[in-house]
Amino acid sequence: MRPLIIAEAANPEWSSVPLVGWSQAEALLRQTDGHLVTQIRNAEAIRRTGLDPERVTFIDSERIAAPAYRLAERLAGGDGKAWTVITAIQSLSYPYFEWLVERRFGPRMAQGAFDLVHRVTPLSPTAPSRLAKRCHQLGLPFVLGPLNGGTPWPKEYPELIAQEREWLTRVRRLYEWLPSARSTRAHATAVILASRAAFERESPAFADRYFYMPENGIDLSRFPLAEPRSSRLPLRFVFVGRLVPYKGLDIALEALKPALRAGEASFEVVGDGPERSRVEARAAELDLGSQVRFHGWVAHREVSKLVGQADVFLFPSLREFGGGVVLEAMAVGAVPMIVDYGGPGELVDASTGVKVPMQPRASLIDALQREIGRLLDTPERLEAMRIEGVERIRNLHAWDKKAERIVELYRWVLGNGPKPSWTRPPVAPPSGVQGEDDSTSTPFRA
């Protein structure tokens, strides 16, 4: 099978979207005779992986991409906020990249050098693809995705939009009216959508070509799966993330306060950002002393060691598209405790972790405190959730497993196999705290 894999953002040494792009593309290259096309900024990092240079092409779109990136950074303020602005500016520069790709590969596509074209990144649904129509004209299947984004800001926290400088989010959905957006979907053979929110925002006119697969995965060489182990008091809690308002670190600190003061828990904070000084000051005000440790920024490869030493990954992020860090925690044996909203709520169920419904700040803190109290009373519950979480990673979220499913999709679009069964996201869970029997929200099963 010979897919042309387009991943403008694909970098094994970065995080977030570039790491997703590289990880998925590299896994597909191992299972197909594919060829990767990416942006030239990723060249040195990819060369250091030892990938056969005959299997990758670097496109130099810096003429447009570099000034667009600098503009996005200036508009965003450069402190990890205003991601909608950054995404919008980068989406505006993407068509130039695809135009260069078409100039380079258009003749080979017409000559039948590839069986299909798969655009892996951008993940944002706001970035249309000119290649979708061109492939349709050539009779060449075009696969788009995973696409994710557009999770609404929770109505319980209207102040977050201003705090995160997300003023553009109010007009974000205007892209849906662009002819290029509809044309991309109309000419795609298959569209992979990565979340329930993404499904809700896509036109039902093309529902027959939609498939569901969370975009994040796990590199088992970087996050070796945890062995079964038991937990005992004091429980070790850990948080990993950028220290910005919507990540909810201040909420985690307040929720843990009784357990920390009683000496029944400790809390490790991994990450940095504009909220760090404020949250550190709050920890001092609460007189939590040595029970809380702020590590600051830690190299990505070292994060797994810190998380793997914890019993619980406490991550009350209030708006998360994917939640790759939740999968990383599950892989190394830290049981996730999350807010049931956005991506994390689709990755975690009652058999693999603890989740509480989205609600206003005071009641959310109370709900988390109750769940923390239950774990302190019955820490043996963590072992079963830890074992199930590791199995979930092994069977569904390792990059090779995800690539196997995409290859299954390739066979279908080429007419060589049945339609894959993973066409819908998990059913939205009922409101209220999740019970032990949570079959309605089981994520991503075949």
Side-chain angles (χ1 to χ4, degrees), residues 37-337:
V37 186
T38 188
Q39 215 270 355
I40 198 168
R41 74 175 76 92
N42 306 309
E44 291 306 312
I46 289 177
R47 288 177 182 134
R48 283 191 284 269
T49 69
L51 179 67
D52 182 351
E54 296 298 317
R55 303 197 68 188
V56 59
T57 296
F58 301 105
I59 299 294
D60 187 355
S61 61
E62 287 295 276
R63 177 182 176 185
I64 301 296
Y69 179 80
R70 290 193 294 269
L71 175 61
E73 283 288 291
R74 283 197 295 270
L75 292 175
D79 58 359
K81 298 182 180 181
W83 281 101
T84 303
V85 174
I86 294 173
T87 300
I89 298 298
Q90 291 176 342
S91 293
L92 291 175
S93 69
Y94 178 74
Y96 178 61
F97 172 82
E98 268 204 3
W99 179 72
L100 294 175
V101 172
E102 187 174 356
R103 283 184 60 190
R104 181 75 172 267
F105 287 93
R108 293 178 62 189
M109 291 163 56
Q111 294 163 7
F114 304 101
D115 296 316
L116 60 95
V117 175
H118 181 185
R119 193 193 87 175
V120 176
T121 67
L123 301 184
S124 172
T126 64
S129 175
R130 60 182 287 129
L131 286 175
K133 185 175 182 179
R134 179 58 178 152
C135 287
H136 182 77
Q137 293 169 341
L138 294 172
L140 188 64
F142 181 83
V143 177
L144 180 67
L147 301 181
N148 203 1
T151 300
W153 288 93
K155 63 181 183 302
E156 294 86 351
Y157 298 86
E159 71 278 5
L160 286 178
I161 292 178
Q163 290 175 351
E164 296 289 341
R165 295 200 292 274
E166 287 288 342
W167 52 268
L168 195 60
T169 195
R170 302 184 190 279
V171 296
R172 179 184 182 278
R173 296 191 66 178
L174 289 177
Y175 83 89
E176 298 172 10
W177 296 92
L178 297 175
S180 56
R182 184 175 180 84
S183 173
T184 298
R185 275 70 170 172
H187 292 110
T189 315
V191 181
I192 302 173
L193 301 174
S195 69
R196 190 182 301 122
F199 261 86
E200 291 171 352
R201 276 156 181 74
E202 290 292 329
S203 169
F206 310 115
D208 61 333
R209 65 199 69 176
Y210 294 159
F211 296 84
Y212 172 77
M213 179 183 288
E215 79 270 25
N216 293 108
I218 292 294
D219 180 348
L220 297 185
S221 68
R222 300 174 70 174
F223 292 88
L225 296 178
E227 297 294 331
R229 59 182 171 87
S230 59
S231 295
R232 58 180 59 88
L233 301 186
L235 291 182
R236 295 163 294 180
F237 290 76
V238 66
F239 168 96
V240 178
R242 291 183 300 117
L243 305 191
V244 292
Y246 79 87
K247 292 290 183 178
L249 176 57
D250 58 330
I251 291 173
L253 198 65
E254 298 287 347
L256 272 174
K257 179 176 62 177
L260 295 173
R261 284 180 168 174
E264 296 178 321
S266 62
F267 191 30
E268 308 281 329
V269 178
V270 181
D272 210 341
E275 288 289 287
R276 179 173 177 177
S277 60
R278 186 179 73 83
V279 179
E280 285 184 332
R282 181 57 179 160
E285 289 174 6
L286 296 174
D287 194 26
L288 299 178
S290 61
Q291 298 299 102
V292 180
R293 182 181 177 189
F294 291 86
H295 290 269
W297 183 87
V298 175
H300 195 252
R301 289 183 177 273
E302 299 299 316
V303 171
S304 63
K305 297 178 183 178
L306 283 167
V307 178
Q309 295 167 359
D311 298 295
V312 180
F313 178 67
L314 182 54
F315 190 65
S317 180
L318 301 173
R319 182 180 181 259
E320 205 75 25
F321 297 145
V325 68
V326 175
L327 295 181
E328 293 170 358
M330 290 169 62
V332 299
V335 174
M337 179 178 285

